Amino acid sequence: MSQQNPPFYSDEQTVPETPDPGSAPKSWSRTSMVGRRQPRVDGYELVSGKAVFPSDISLPGMLYGSVLRSPHPNAIVKNLDTRAAEQMPGVRAILTGKNPEANIVWSYPGDVKSMLFESHCRFEGEAIAAVAAENSYQAGDALRAIKVEFEVLPATVDELKALQAGAPRIHDGGNRTKPPESYQRGEVSRGFTQADVILEHTYRTECEIHTPLERHGCVAKWNRDRLTVWQSTQGVYRIQSQVSSILGMPLSKVRIIGQYMGGGFGSKLQADKETIIAALLAKKTGRPVKLFMSREETFIAAGNRPPTNMRLKAGVKKDGTLTALDFTCVATGGAYPAGGTSGVDWQIKDLYQCPNVRTELSDVYTNACPSRPFRAPGHPQGSWALEQMMDALAEEIGMDPVALRLKNIPAVSQARSGNPPYTSTGLRQCLIEGAKSFGWREARRAIASSDKDRNWRKGVGVASGTWVAGAGGPPSTIIVKLFPDGSVNLNMGASDIGTGTRTVMALVVSEELGVRPDLIDIDNADTATTQYATPSGGSKTVPTESPAVRAAAIHVKQQLLAMAAEELKEKAASLTMKGGTILSLNDPSKKIKVTDVAGLKKQGIIVGIGYRNPNPANRATNPFAAQFCEVEVNIKTGEVRILRFLSANDSGRVMSRLTYDSQVIGGITMGIGFAMMEARILDRNQTGKIVSGNWHDYKIPTAMDVPADIVSVPIDLPDNEANTTGAKGLGEPVTIPTAAVIANAIYNATGIRLASTPVSPVMLRRALAAKAKETSQKDELK
Amino acid sequence: MSQQNPPFYSDEQTVPETPDPGSAPKSWSRTSMVGRRQPRVDGYELVSGKAVFPSDISLPGMLYGSVLRSPHPNAIVKNLDTRAAEQMPGVRAILTGKNPEANIVWSYPGDVKSMLFESHCRFEGEAIAAVAAENSYQAGDALRAIKVEFEVLPATVDELKALQAGAPRIHDGGNRTKPPESYQRGEVSRGFTQADVILEHTYRTECEIHTPLERHGCVAKWNRDRLTVWQSTQGVYRIQSQVSSILGMPLSKVRIIGQYMGGGFGSKLQADKETIIAALLAKKTGRPVKLFMSREETFIAAGNRPPTNMRLKAGVKKDGTLTALDFTCVATGGAYPAGGTSGVDWQIKDLYQCPNVRTELSDVYTNACPSRPFRAPGHPQGSWALEQMMDALAEEIGMDPVALRLKNIPAVSQARSGNPPYTSTGLRQCLIEGAKSFGWREARRAIASSDKDRNWRKGVGVASGTWVAGAGGPPSTIIVKLFPDGSVNLNMGASDIGTGTRTVMALVVSEELGVRPDLIDIDNADTATTQYATPSGGSKTVPTESPAVRAAAIHVKQQLLAMAAEELKEKAASLTMKGGTILSLNDPSKKIKVTDVAGLKKQGIIVGIGYRNPNPANRATNPFAAQFCEVEVNIKTGEVRILRFLSANDSGRVMSRLTYDSQVIGGITMGIGFAMMEARILDRNQTGKIVSGNWHDYKIPTAMDVPADIVSVPIDLPDNEANTTGAKGLGEPVTIPTAAVIANAIYNATGIRLASTPVSPVMLRRALAAKAKETSQKDELK
């Protein structure tokens, strides 16, 4: 493309020969390794406990850090007395805002700042002080010995109340993080006049907590002016950049290592305050410091998916043509600018063809923990509104919900300026193939004709979705080393956040070099020893890294073929590789095993380097999904059983079938949690404090909540225009429509439209009772 | 040169633009950083103890391995009973040759093989069994509990006796490792007829032990089928290759890490038996195993510099022209083929111009520990003979010893086929500049006219030397990463064996990119995460790696300038870098700070890759040295004080002045040990066992033995024909002539020609007494 490829340089600065650009295909037509059901290449490490996660790190002389947090959602620290704590056994350092080195401004995306240790605590969990002690118990005891005098202020934890006149101001500038964000195309009022049916509904989604299995934290260690941090993170280079900037250190003196990490879902894209605190404590004590949050701390201080209050008005013609969508949302990222409304309107703006769309997003402050990106930020929230609305519209016009969606499939991205065409759009296939595999029509028919007197009533639902990103893109650099015995080392900066990135990349190398995936050693996620990568998140890791990995493998192959060509007295362009052998296409007698190539033996290794090229200009690359599920609802108790689920995904080429399916299962599981049980509950009436701040009170799905019958239907459409592996993002689209699918299935079973997540039996029972009363009243009136 | 430079490949396989080969100079004319007195970039780590050496590694659950060794130089293991040892507390595994996994053939360079655990022990220290236990004391106790029944055989530890008829055969094929190795050019008999003076002498050098500060050993850890070894080694990739081959494992599954190492001097170029034993013990127990030799074990089982018995006959004309050199040597590499005579004749063959040269080397087996390469293998031994002979010849023809050497400086390598010219020859400058700085003539004159009745007599000596290698050469790959704040990470496979390699490479990067050396983070010597390198040894690390480092830095610079060119709207070829700023040569107003280049910020990093190109064809690249010293000898006691030393070296460009001087001091120190005190003494008359097997009985120089006055005179002649940094090897030439210099100075003081190392006061006193007796007898006869 337009980017100049920098040439190799030897020490002699020889002009490199022009390579034959035709010698490597631009895209794979067929693959033998990529797309396989390959068990994870790091499966043994992960299940045996041999993999060393940052939270497993234990260094000689290591201290344990712990953070004192505000117990109040809104309070001013009037006095902080650490004298007793300093005398506690095992205590080696105490840090507060009074320590000059801790006098650090903490930046959020907007203009509002806080301090590393803030004296005006605007949420429960705000850091006030920190301790390093010989063990975590002593650290905890010392925290309890710090005497804090608070001036407790009234808290505002309800985002709608925050906008009311006279509400206490969370920041001096008021309770809006910024003016309402508006988007408009066409003219919604005109759109509504063209509609045959107009519906309007209010929706709410509750705040969800990431709760990754490995908690948030790090181990920090100094070597004079060099800092090494083992951090549980999605992106070591981003952490390096932040730590370097906050501590005013050269990047070369900050090393972040995070080879394994136990989940993040967007909450581990950033350096935590804890990262900086651990570094400061380690500096102060001259010893390594381990600082991992407790599970309870992660509930109040490690981010969340913002709760939303949405209103959607939609117009449709009788033939299913959408004429207008009018959407407003009030949401909160908590006490600091943290993107409370980010991404909430993307489904409304871009999923279906609609000429007249207006959205308005109000992001407000509340006295709550700042949110962080959470798997498809904003998208499941918007989908909760849009996809229930689509279901309602379909019913109103008497159209099948799948048919209504098929009617409105766009060819271009309408929300992007210039309306760029998609590099590939598999939404149609997702809906058609998904419905077919699910047995949609049959199921709908069976339910329609089922016995309505049973307490357990079945229902099926559908919803689709798109993810705003997923194309990947530069920069990325990858190095592949081919050893003389044909085995390989792959060096990559990106984190494998549990999605199977290592396995995908091994398959890509295996495809190009014919080496068994288990013979590929992978080193990743270390700013000192591995290559540059952007954080793993946004469903962009595979589409970003896999083309660079492929380029590096091809680069190895070309060097190897050049060596073989010399030895076989054949042109490199006439050679091909099959298994471990290099063959001439012209002369079958000319062949040589990779392990017999003398040049490779002599050189000891071949090093290949690969870059990620820019994405095609004026094109949109988005993944699409359609999901289907069947539920069974007990209309007496409100209990919901999710019987089966199906997800049909267009995420470009299927790179690794087993990890692909794992992603689908994981996304649906997370969506079930979002729809059915997960809710950070704040005490809105009195204290403003969290009342579901642990895994006992905050429920996430267990094996009993997830159906055994989850079917993955990959729409295997390699997106060869997007990049050279044809992959698009998968991680986020698989969770976007899930909650709405369940809501639509529950409606199909019960006739109850759900306004709010989570759908508890209590809430559903109440709605069913109300509906029963209404029906009986109607019956009475008849 | 002829090597094709492989191009970069992005994932799009775009054809790279042809770079401007003129944009980087082929060689530096001036340097501002390279050559500086730069303190070691890793100095803090090294002196503070923060650097983690392999012997510092401690892993959770780690066991301690120890090896049972033969106490006899020649014995057959008739029975081995481990039952009692197995019951000892803390013992977790015992390995003997009976364990199938330990049934491993151990290869030496020749045809003669042994087993990992050998039943016919041919030297004291041969491995018989090994134990892994919870701690090293329990391991030692368990070893002592192993019952071994030996059949003790007569031992042959004298290399000359080994050749006598009827000597016990050490291997079935006899006691010669191979037929005597002969070299001839011209016709020595004709050469001697042309000589005015012919001298013939016999010389012996004693066996020297490496005794690096960090002992030999490793920590081995398995992760299913992947093995990680932290090894104290000079070359991780060579160890990887050996371990992989011996254990039959893919290279990608063997990771060797040796970031820091505490000295090797050639004895750590190879995988030890201990490496394999540690791996087997770790596999058997499922736990990491640390296996480091005791200091005493390193004396009997970690190699040595072979003892030599040399005879040299030399002819010279009155004008100083050498006419013939005839050299024979009998030496031993111990019980296995280990290069007992390697390199011994190189000085004789190649240092001075001489048309008629014959050498014959007899390498014999003895019941002694196999030797290993030792700093300039064979060279100090040969120098001991040749340089004393040169001194004697000079005296015989009444010529100054420096003048005799200057008379015979060659322009080509005479010992190599085709007699290739040297890329640079600084021997003349070494002798002239060295003599001048030393005050050679003045010192000689003062000594000649000094009071001969004093007990303490002064003397000065000179000797020169050349090292057979030192050109460096491919393969080497280096990666340099430039961070957006201008700091740098350097990734290199080579070990820094204590010589300051890291500092040299930081200066090279600093020279090209203008970044402060302390802002360059260096990661090296890890087969998984760093680039390919051959072992650090043979004085080739700097000339091998520095050109590749420079190429990688230039590659970074070119990418950076291309970015800046776009932003400044200027041609990249018109840009230059100064400090942290990029400037236009045409338009002074066009400039930008490196840290302001938007492309760098956006990309997050620039990755540069550099390779070491082949050496010039048909050229020899060798370093040269001339050394001078002054001694004071007590003619009553034989005590020798070394008063001052000077080394003038032609090692190409001076890359880093402080580490250069450190090498000089280290080489001279080691040479003093070789000349004056170091000797592995075997009991030749009875047991054949070592009698100097520890640092009490085997003396190495201390601060008291080394003069404070050591002067380094670098002949700074960048060898731009050899490579793009102009560096030649330094580590070995600085120790080659040292012992001979001392011998010549002692002769100058006493008139005693020394035959054998080490020059102990006892030996010297005896020679002085004999000489006094002879003189008085002569006086009586008068």
Side-chain angles (χ1 to χ4, degrees):
Chain A
M1 311 307 292
S2 65
Q3 195 198 36
Q4 269 184 236
N5 280 309
F8 264 82
Y9 284 99
S10 72
D11 62 297
E12 297 285 352
Q13 300 311 314
T14 321
V15 182
E17 288 227 335
T18 304
D20 174 10
S23 57
K26 190 178 154 90
S27 62
W28 286 308
S29 50
R30 273 180 319 122
T31 60
S32 57
M33 296 304 296
V34 162
R36 283 214 324 179
R37 294 190 170 276
Q38 171 69 37
R40 293 200 182 209
V41 293
D42 52 0
Y44 175 84
E45 284 85 336
L46 294 169
V47 300
S48 68
K50 290 268 183 188
V52 178
F53 289 74
S55 48
D56 294 329
I57 294 288
S58 181
L59 301 176
M62 190 173 78
L63 297 172
Y64 293 78
S66 199
V67 175
L68 182 67
R69 299 181 186 280
S70 171
H72 307 295
N74 196 11
I76 290 166
V77 176
K78 305 299 285 185
N79 194 30
L80 196 60
D81 182 352
T82 60
R83 284 170 299 176
E86 281 156 20
Q87 303 306 317
M88 296 284 288
V91 171
R92 297 289 168 259
I94 297 186
L95 272 183
T96 72
K98 288 176 209 155
N99 296 79
E101 72 269 33
N103 186 21
I104 288 171
V105 174
W106 196 258
S107 294
Y108 287 92
D111 292 332
V112 173
K113 311 282 184 195
S114 73
M115 301 302 290
L116 182 66
F117 296 115
E118 179 59 50
S119 59
H120 183 169
C121 303
R122 291 183 171 87
F123 65 95
E124 182 190 4
E126 179 98 67
I128 297 170
V131 166
E134 294 290 341
N135 61 53
S136 57
Y137 307 102
Q138 291 175 325
D141 288 348
L143 287 188
R144 277 182 284 277
I146 297 176
K147 295 190 186 74
V148 195
E149 192 186 317
F150 289 105
E151 179 189 344
V152 179
L153 304 172
T156 304
V157 299
D158 181 317
E159 54 277 8
L160 295 176
K161 282 186 187 158
L163 283 182
Q164 288 172 359
R169 293 193 150 201
I170 287 151
H171 290 285
D172 293 343
N175 289 348
R176 283 188 185 269
T177 68
K178 55 189 171 187
E181 199 178 329
S182 294
Y183 166 86
Q184 186 164 345
R185 71 168 178 260
E187 186 70 60
V188 285
S189 55
R190 199 174 58 223
F192 285 122
T193 63
Q194 296 162 355
D196 295 318
V197 170
I198 296 171
L199 292 178
E200 187 168 6
H201 279 292
T202 301
Y203 306 90
R204 177 176 165 83
T205 60
E206 203 41 86
C207 176
E208 190 183 8
I209 313 272
H210 304 76
T211 69
L213 202 53
E214 185 181 39
R215 290 160 295 137
H216 301 68
C218 69
V219 177
K221 184 189 174 206
W222 289 85
N223 182 355
R224 192 172 49 164
D225 59 351
R226 290 174 197 256
L227 171 65
T228 301
V229 180
W230 289 262
Q231 172 103 20
S232 182
T233 179
Q234 297 174 237
V236 290
Y237 277 96
R238 181 180 286 179
I239 306 294
Q240 181 202 34
S241 160
Q242 289 182 287
V243 170
S244 147
S245 150
I246 293 166
L247 295 180
M249 294 172 64
L251 286 159
S252 66
K253 300 208 175 205
V254 178
R255 178 180 187 178
I256 312 292
I257 307 173
Q259 204 191 348
Y260 289 94
M261 64 86 68
F265 310 111
S267 68
K268 291 180 183 167
L269 290 163
Q270 58 187 75
D272 299 321
K273 277 192 174 179
E274 290 71 22
T275 316
I276 301 301
I277 292 169
L280 294 176
L281 288 170
K283 185 92 175 175
K284 198 176 172 74
T285 57
R287 291 167 63 178
V289 170
K290 185 170 197 168
L291 204 174
F292 271 80
M293 290 187 181
S294 68
R295 178 59 64 194
E296 288 73 14
E297 284 176 285
T298 70
F299 278 88
I300 55 172
N304 51 69
R305 183 190 293 284
T308 59
N309 302 277
M310 301 175 284
R311 185 151 190 91
L312 178 60
K313 184 176 171 186
V316 68
K317 290 188 185 172
K318 277 183 182 163
D319 68 354
T321 308
L322 285 173
T323 62
L325 292 167
D326 191 4
F327 178 76
T328 56
C329 174
V330 177
T332 179
Y336 289 97
T341 52
S342 296
V344 173
D345 60 349
W346 190 259
Q347 302 297 300
I348 290 95
K349 277 153 47 175
D350 216 34
L351 178 56
Y352 299 118
Q353 193 161 299
C354 182
N356 307 297
V357 177
R358 193 188 75 89
T359 73
E360 189 185 279
L361 311 178
S362 295
D363 192 345
V364 304
Y365 293 125
T366 53
N367 288 119
C369 174
S371 64
R372 292 186 183 173
F374 193 153
R375 201 171 188 170
H379 288 51
Q381 295 98 302
S383 174
W384 178 252
L386 176 66
E387 293 298 304
Q388 288 201 71
M389 176 58 82
M390 289 295 281
D391 213 56
L393 292 175
E395 187 178 36
E396 284 294 321
I397 61 173
M399 200 168 178
D400 181 278
V402 171
L404 176 62
R405 288 169 171 87
L406 285 169
K407 175 85 189 172
N408 292 286
I409 289 178
V412 302
S413 171
Q414 302 163 92
R416 288 183 176 87
S417 78
N419 296 346
Y422 290 115
T423 49
S424 66
T425 326
L427 180 54
R428 182 177 303 280
Q429 291 94 322
C430 288
L431 285 161
I432 292 172
E433 296 294 322
K436 205 167 125 189
S437 291
F438 185 79
W440 171 252
R441 281 195 199 166
E442 301 78 356
R444 293 262 291 181
R445 218 174 285 135
I447 287 160
S449 62
S450 66
D451 178 5
K452 289 285 177 287
D453 292 333
R454 290 186 61 225
N455 281 343
W456 284 98
R457 303 245 178 105
K458 286 187 177 175
V460 290
V462 64
S464 47
T466 184
W467 163 233
V468 68
S476 167
T477 304
I478 294 288
I479 286 178
V480 167
K481 299 195 286 196
L482 176 68
F483 295 112
D485 67 354
S487 64
V488 164
N489 172 281
L490 168 62
N491 184 286
M492 165 176 78
S495 300
D496 184 335
I497 56 175
T499 54
T501 305
R502 286 189 194 85
T503 305
V504 172
M505 302 312 154
L507 288 174
V508 171
V509 172
S510 178
E511 186 71 41
E512 286 299 341
L513 297 179
V515 58
R516 272 174 23 221
D518 68 298
L519 294 186
I520 300 166
D521 178 45
I522 301 178
D523 288 279
N524 71 312
D526 181 335
T527 57
T529 61
T530 68
Q531 303 315 305
Y532 188 80
T534 48
S536 291
S539 299
K540 62 159 202 47
T541 315
V542 166
T544 293
E545 305 298 336
S546 66
V549 170
R550 189 178 177 215
I554 288 174
H555 183 219
V556 166
K557 187 156 75 177
Q558 294 209 338
Q559 294 174 71
L560 179 68
L561 293 185
M563 286 174 178
E566 201 169 306
E567 293 170 36
L568 293 174
K569 308 205 184 310
E570 177 64 278
K571 283 181 192 164
S574 307
L575 295 177
T576 186
M577 273 178 77
K578 206 166 182 178
T581 303
I582 297 161
L583 308 149
S584 165
L585 295 168
N586 304 326
D587 178 354
S589 75
K590 288 187 173 174
K591 58 181 176 180
I592 187 169
K593 279 188 186 172
V594 168
T595 49
D596 289 338
V597 173
L600 173 55
K601 279 185 202 166
K602 188 181 161 204
Q603 196 169 293
I605 212 157
I606 293 174
V607 177
I609 187 162
Y611 295 103
R612 178 55 155 85
N613 254 27
N615 295 334
N618 306 319
R619 287 282 187 282
T621 301
N622 290 70
F624 295 92
Q627 295 189 338
F628 300 81
C629 89
E630 182 162 3
V631 301
E632 201 171 27
V633 184
N634 187 315
I635 58 159
K636 297 290 177 203
T637 64
E639 197 182 344
V640 177
R641 288 181 194 151
I642 299 170
L643 301 177
R644 62 192 181 106
F645 232 107
L646 181 145
S647 187
N649 288 87
D650 163 33
S651 288
R653 186 187 298 275
V654 177
M655 301 294 290
S656 158
R657 184 60 202 268
L658 281 183
T659 60
Y660 191 102
D661 292 354
S662 294
Q663 282 273 45
V664 167
I665 294 166
I668 287 169
T669 301
M670 199 161 236
I672 290 172
F674 179 59
M676 306 299 293
M677 58 196 76
E678 296 190 52
R680 179 197 68 184
I681 307 294
L682 301 179
D683 175 5
R684 288 167 187 253
N685 300 322
Q686 297 189 48
T687 62
K689 286 163 66 74
I690 194 166
V691 296
S692 58
N694 56 55
W695 266 344
H696 180 266
D697 297 318
Y698 182 100
K699 305 291 189 195
I700 62 170
T702 67
M704 297 296 286
D705 301 305
V706 179
D709 183 1
I710 296 184
V711 175
S712 164
V713 178
I715 308 299
D716 196 1
L717 291 171
D719 190 335
N720 293 324
E721 208 184 335
N723 61 53
T724 57
T725 60
K728 299 194 290 190
L730 176 65
E732 336 242 345
V734 291
T735 205
I736 292 170
T738 309
V741 180
I742 297 169
N744 290 342
I746 291 173
Y747 178 79
N748 186 231
T750 63
I752 306 282
R753 284 274 169 225
L754 298 165
S756 305
T757 68
V759 185
S760 66
V762 173
M763 181 235 263
L764 196 54
R765 173 72 193 87
R766 201 174 286 156
L768 285 160
K771 186 183 157 76
K773 197 172 168 189
E774 191 187 325
T775 311
S776 72
Q777 281 172 344
K778 273 188 196 160
D779 287 348
E780 275 172 33
L781 289 175
K782 271 181 198 163
Chain B
M1 312 306 293
S2 65
Q3 195 198 35
Q4 268 184 238
N5 280 311
F8 264 82
Y9 283 99
S10 72
D11 62 296
E12 297 286 352
Q13 301 308 316
T14 319
V15 182
E17 285 228 336
T18 305
D20 174 10
S23 57
K26 191 178 154 92
S27 62
W28 287 308
S29 51
R30 274 180 318 121
T31 60
S32 58
M33 296 305 296
V34 162
R36 285 214 322 177
R37 293 191 170 275
Q38 171 69 36
R40 294 200 182 208
V41 294
D42 51 1
Y44 175 84
E45 285 84 336
L46 293 169
V47 301
S48 67
K50 289 269 183 187
V52 178
F53 289 73
S55 48
D56 294 328
I57 295 288
S58 181
L59 302 176
M62 190 174 78
L63 297 173
Y64 292 79
S66 199
V67 174
L68 181 67
R69 300 182 185 280
S70 172
H72 308 294
N74 195 11
I76 289 165
V77 177
K78 305 298 286 185
N79 194 27
L80 195 60
D81 182 353
T82 59
R83 283 170 299 177
E86 282 157 20
Q87 303 306 316
M88 297 285 286
V91 172
R92 296 289 168 258
I94 297 185
L95 272 182
T96 72
K98 287 178 208 153
N99 295 79
E101 72 269 34
N103 186 22
I104 288 171
V105 174
W106 196 258
S107 293
Y108 287 92
D111 291 333
V112 173
K113 308 284 184 197
S114 73
M115 301 302 290
L116 181 66
F117 296 115
E118 179 59 51
S119 59
H120 182 168
C121 302
R122 291 183 171 88
F123 66 95
E124 182 190 4
E126 180 98 69
I128 297 171
V131 165
E134 295 290 340
N135 62 52
S136 57
Y137 307 101
Q138 291 175 325
D141 289 347
L143 287 187
R144 278 182 283 276
I146 296 176
K147 295 190 186 74
V148 195
E149 192 187 317
F150 288 105
E151 180 188 344
V152 179
L153 304 172
T156 303
V157 298
D158 181 316
E159 53 277 10
L160 293 176
K161 282 187 189 158
L163 283 181
Q164 289 173 359
R169 294 194 150 202
I170 287 151
H171 289 286
D172 294 343
N175 289 348
R176 281 187 185 271
T177 68
K178 55 189 171 187
E181 200 178 330
S182 295
Y183 166 85
Q184 187 165 345
R185 70 167 179 262
E187 186 71 62
V188 285
S189 55
R190 199 175 58 221
F192 286 123
T193 63
Q194 295 163 356
D196 296 317
V197 169
I198 296 171
L199 292 178
E200 187 167 6
H201 280 294
T202 301
Y203 306 89
R204 175 174 166 84
T205 60
E206 203 40 87
C207 177
E208 190 184 9
I209 312 274
H210 303 76
T211 69
L213 202 53
E214 184 182 39
R215 291 161 294 138
H216 301 67
C218 69
V219 177
K221 184 190 174 207
W222 289 87
N223 182 354
R224 190 170 52 166
D225 58 351
R226 289 174 199 256
L227 172 64
T228 301
V229 180
W230 289 262
Q231 172 103 18
S232 183
T233 180
Q234 299 175 235
V236 291
Y237 276 97
R238 181 180 285 178
I239 307 294
Q240 181 202 35
S241 160
Q242 289 182 286
V243 170
S244 146
S245 149
I246 292 167
L247 295 180
M249 292 172 66
L251 286 158
S252 65
K253 300 207 175 204
V254 178
R255 177 181 187 177
I256 312 292
I257 306 173
Q259 205 192 345
Y260 289 94
M261 63 87 68
F265 309 111
S267 68
K268 291 180 183 167
L269 290 163
Q270 59 188 73
D272 300 322
K273 276 192 176 181
E274 289 71 22
T275 317
I276 302 301
I277 291 169
L280 294 176
L281 288 171
K283 184 92 176 177
K284 198 175 172 75
T285 57
R287 291 166 63 177
V289 170
K290 185 170 197 167
L291 204 172
F292 272 79
M293 289 188 182
S294 68
R295 178 60 65 191
E296 288 73 16
E297 285 176 285
T298 71
F299 277 88
I300 55 172
N304 51 70
R305 183 190 293 284
T308 60
N309 302 278
M310 302 174 284
R311 187 155 189 87
L312 177 61
K313 184 176 172 186
V316 69
K317 289 188 186 172
K318 278 184 182 162
D319 69 352
T321 308
L322 285 174
T323 63
L325 292 168
D326 191 3
F327 179 75
T328 55
C329 174
V330 177
T332 179
Y336 288 96
T341 53
S342 296
V344 173
D345 60 349
W346 190 258
Q347 301 297 302
I348 289 96
K349 279 156 42 176
D350 216 33
L351 178 56
Y352 298 118
Q353 194 161 298
C354 182
N356 307 298
V357 177
R358 193 189 75 91
T359 72
E360 189 184 278
L361 310 178
S362 294
D363 192 346
V364 305
Y365 293 123
T366 52
N367 288 118
C369 173
S371 64
R372 291 186 184 173
F374 193 152
R375 202 170 186 170
H379 288 51
Q381 294 101 300
S383 173
W384 178 251
L386 176 66
E387 293 298 304
Q388 289 201 73
M389 175 57 82
M390 289 296 282
D391 213 54
L393 292 175
E395 187 177 37
E396 284 294 323
I397 61 172
M399 201 167 179
D400 182 276
V402 171
L404 176 63
R405 287 169 171 89
L406 284 169
K407 175 86 188 170
N408 293 286
I409 288 178
V412 302
S413 171
Q414 303 162 92
R416 287 184 176 86
S417 78
N419 296 347
Y422 290 115
T423 49
S424 66
T425 327
L427 180 54
R428 182 176 304 279
Q429 291 94 320
C430 288
L431 285 160
I432 292 171
E433 296 292 322
K436 204 167 126 189
S437 291
F438 185 77
W440 171 252
R441 281 195 201 167
E442 301 77 356
R444 292 264 290 181
R445 219 174 286 137
I447 287 160
S449 62
S450 66
D451 177 5
K452 288 286 178 287
D453 291 335
R454 291 186 61 226
N455 280 344
W456 283 99
R457 304 245 177 105
K458 286 188 177 176
V460 291
V462 63
S464 48
T466 184
W467 164 234
V468 68
S476 167
T477 304
I478 295 288
I479 286 177
V480 167
K481 299 195 286 196
L482 175 68
F483 295 113
D485 66 353
S487 64
V488 163
N489 171 282
L490 168 61
N491 183 286
M492 165 176 77
S495 300
D496 184 335
I497 57 176
T499 56
T501 306
R502 285 189 195 86
T503 305
V504 172
M505 303 311 155
L507 288 174
V508 172
V509 172
S510 179
E511 187 71 40
E512 286 298 340
L513 296 180
V515 58
R516 280 185 3 234
D518 68 298
L519 294 185
I520 299 165
D521 177 46
I522 301 179
D523 288 278
N524 71 312
D526 181 333
T527 58
T529 61
T530 68
Q531 302 317 303
Y532 189 78
T534 48
S536 290
S539 298
K540 61 158 203 48
T541 314
V542 166
T544 294
E545 305 298 336
S546 67
V549 170
R550 188 176 179 217
I554 288 174
H555 183 218
V556 165
K557 188 156 74 175
Q558 294 209 339
Q559 294 173 70
L560 180 66
L561 294 185
M563 285 174 179
E566 201 169 306
E567 293 171 36
L568 293 173
K569 308 209 183 308
E570 177 63 277
K571 281 181 191 163
S574 307
L575 295 178
T576 186
M577 271 178 79
K578 206 166 183 178
T581 303
I582 298 162
L583 308 149
S584 165
L585 296 168
N586 303 327
D587 177 354
S589 75
K590 287 186 173 175
K591 58 181 175 180
I592 186 169
K593 281 189 185 171
V594 169
T595 48
D596 289 339
V597 174
L600 172 55
K601 279 186 203 167
K602 187 182 160 201
Q603 198 169 292
I605 212 158
I606 292 175
V607 177
I609 187 162
Y611 295 103
R612 178 56 155 86
N613 253 28
N615 295 335
N618 306 319
R619 287 281 187 284
T621 300
N622 290 70
F624 296 93
Q627 294 188 339
F628 299 82
C629 89
E630 181 164 4
V631 302
E632 200 172 25
V633 183
N634 186 317
I635 58 159
K636 296 291 176 201
T637 64
E639 198 181 344
V640 178
R641 289 181 194 150
I642 298 170
L643 301 177
R644 61 191 183 107
F645 232 107
L646 181 145
S647 187
N649 288 88
D650 162 33
S651 288
R653 186 188 297 277
V654 177
M655 301 294 288
S656 158
R657 184 61 202 268
L658 281 183
T659 60
Y660 191 102
D661 291 355
S662 294
Q663 282 272 45
V664 167
I665 295 167
I668 287 169
T669 302
M670 198 161 236
I672 289 173
F674 179 58
M676 305 299 293
M677 56 196 78
E678 297 192 50
R680 179 198 65 185
I681 307 295
L682 301 179
D683 174 6
R684 286 167 188 254
N685 299 322
Q686 297 187 46
T687 62
K689 285 163 67 76
I690 193 166
V691 295
S692 58
N694 55 57
W695 265 344
H696 181 267
D697 298 318
Y698 181 100
K699 304 291 187 194
I700 62 169
T702 68
M704 298 294 286
D705 302 305
V706 180
D709 184 1
I710 296 184
V711 175
S712 164
V713 177
I715 309 299
D716 197 2
L717 291 170
D719 190 335
N720 293 323
E721 208 184 336
N723 60 54
T724 57
T725 60
K728 298 195 290 191
L730 175 65
E732 336 241 345
V734 290
T735 206
I736 291 169
T738 308
V741 180
I742 297 170
N744 290 341
I746 291 173
Y747 177 79
N748 187 231
T750 63
I752 305 282
R753 284 274 170 224
L754 299 164
S756 305
T757 67
V759 186
S760 66
V762 173
M763 182 235 266
L764 196 53
R765 174 70 193 90
R766 200 173 287 156
L768 284 160
K771 185 183 158 71
K773 197 171 167 186
E774 192 187 323
T775 311
S776 70
Q777 282 172 345
K778 273 187 196 160
D779 287 349
E780 275 172 35
L781 289 174
K782 270 183 199 165

